[in-house]
Amino acid sequence: MSNYTVESTIVQTRDGAKLRTRLFKPMEEGEITDNLVVVLVHPFSILGGCQAFLQGIAAGLAGKGYKTVTFDMRGAGKSTGRPSLTGFAEIKDVIAVCKWVCENLSSDRILLVGSSAGAPIAGSAVDGIKEVIGYVSIGYPFGMFASILFGRHHKGILKSPKPKLFVMGTRDGFTSVKQLQKKLSSAAGRVETHLIEGTSHFQMEGAEFDNQMVNLILTFISSL
């Protein structure tokens, strides 16, 4: 039997995109740990990324007492609109969902978690949302070729003073460990890294890593 429930809704952005959104929450209100809400941002829409990639993590966090939100960015899944190649239009999607969280879930504390291309998109939104108190990246594409698309996002998260955790596999095909360390050497505020030995970029998106991601996120939350 599941220890969480799922509710669906539509969140509309300022420019009119309608985003399919799901709220994962503990089965009983008394099981909610605190008013912090985790918002998960999925991988690259153009390569088939959607909120379904993150349902295992969302379910795991809800089962541990945290309300967690997933959503399909514009043009992904059944959300309206068109996805952008560089992810800048999708920043509006993250902001709209976080606004919905604050208005509908009585929360003034949000942890943003981005997976793959969702990491630079979420990172660019961090300082535009005052309720965001921390950020977790799962496989941020800092490498040379990925930077052709997402390089202009780097500055947003690197200059943010908010606490940050970067999770990456040591065999990530988009970013080497050396590239990650070089980028983060100039980052502001508190920065943590967690390297998963022998793991590739797309492996980390698999369900077999969901429990590990949940535990890393929970540990990070406890330090905020």
Side-chain angles (χ1 to χ4, degrees), residues 11 20 39 54 57 83 91 97 146 148 169 180 184:
V11 173
R20 292 294 182 108
V39 174
L54 300 170
I57 297 175
I91 298 171
V97 169
I148 295 172
L180 176 69
L184 298 186

Side-chain angles (χ1 to χ4, degrees), residues 13 22 29 31 34 36 47 50 65 103 110 160 187 204 206 208 216-217:
T13 67
R22 292 179 185 147
E29 286 294 322
E31 296 174 355
D34 63 25
L36 182 142
L47 293 182
C50 63
E103 293 176 349
I110 295 172
S160 174
M204 287 205 308
E208 63 270 26
L216 287 169
I217 292 168

Side-chain angles (χ1 to χ4, degrees), residues 159-205:
K159 71 178 180 60
S160 174
K162 297 179 181 180
K164 299 171 278 291
L165 168 63
F166 291 82
V167 182
M168 194 184 83
T170 59
R171 295 183 61 191
D172 190 299
F174 293 102
T175 308
S176 68
V177 173
K178 186 176 180 180
Q179 286 171 324
L180 176 69
Q181 292 170 337
K182 184 177 179 181
K183 278 290 184 181
L184 298 186
S185 66
S186 63
R190 184 181 122 209
V191 182
E192 300 177 26
T193 59
H194 183 92
L195 300 176
I196 302 178
E197 192 64 38
T199 304
S200 70
H201 185 89
F202 293 111
Q203 273 183 294
M204 287 205 308
E205 295 178 6

